[in-house]
Amino acid sequence: MKKKFMFLNNTEIALMEMKLVSLLGFVILLSGCSATQKPMYEYGNYSENFYALKRDAGDENALKWKSSLENIITKSGEKSLRVPPGVYANLGFIHLKANDNNKAVEYFELEKKLYPEAEVFMNNLIKKANAQG
């Protein structure tokens, strides 16, 4: 019995190569979509507690807000994540309002160190804290 070989012309070879490349690209695309990416920040209950504070600015909500910011810092450290922008600044401002100026400056310096783009604003808050004594 004779074996028949199928000979392909250049167009058919090019078409097969395109299909193979397309299939390979599709597989790579799907594998990239399935990979979960580590989050950049840990926000915890940031939004909920901030909304509650703005809705009802009582002492209880202010305490929850402060606790939420402190928890974000703690959990970010535990998960080896960067503290989200503004968290140190907000915590510093809470201490500034409570006349704990040294602690306020400490948090403003941390914000400035972590986010250099906030340097001008943090320097102004540091001046304000130092002026209050």
Side-chain angles (χ1 to χ4, degrees):
M1 193 165 159
K2 285 185 174 180
K3 290 185 179 179
K4 292 185 179 180
F5 294 130
M6 182 185 242
F7 293 101
L8 302 173
N9 64 32
N10 288 341
T11 305
E12 291 170 331
I13 291 172
L15 186 59
M16 285 180 57
E17 287 176 351
M18 282 182 19
K19 287 180 181 178
L20 183 62
V21 168
S22 296
L23 179 64
L24 184 61
F26 185 70
V27 168
I28 290 171
L29 180 69
L30 283 179
S31 67
C33 293
S34 68
T36 57
Q37 199 172 18
K38 182 179 173 184
M40 198 170 180
Y41 304 115
E42 168 62 42
Y43 283 100
N45 293 330
Y46 182 93
S47 295
E48 294 86 358
N49 289 326
F50 184 70
Y51 177 72
L53 177 67
K54 291 302 174 186
R55 189 183 65 230
D56 177 22
D59 290 338
E60 182 181 341
N61 285 331
L63 190 58
K64 281 182 185 177
W65 172 239
K66 181 181 177 193
S67 176
S68 172
L69 295 172
E70 291 167 343
N71 285 336
I72 289 170
I73 294 168
T74 302
K75 289 197 177 178
S76 293
E78 289 171 357
K79 294 180 179 181
S80 300
L81 297 173
R82 194 174 182 186
V83 174
V87 171
Y88 285 129
N90 279 309
L91 203 49
F93 193 70
I94 290 169
H95 285 282
L96 183 64
K97 289 189 333 187
N99 291 321
D100 187 358
N101 298 333
N102 292 332
K103 197 72 169 168
V105 169
E106 182 182 320
Y107 283 117
F108 294 149
E109 290 289 348
L110 286 169
E111 182 78 18
K112 183 169 69 169
K113 181 180 176 187
L114 198 55
Y115 298 100
E117 62 272 17
E119 183 175 0
V120 173
F121 183 50
M122 292 301 105
N123 285 340
N124 287 334
L125 289 172
I126 290 168
K127 285 179 190 174
K128 183 175 181 173
N130 289 333
Q132 284 183 357

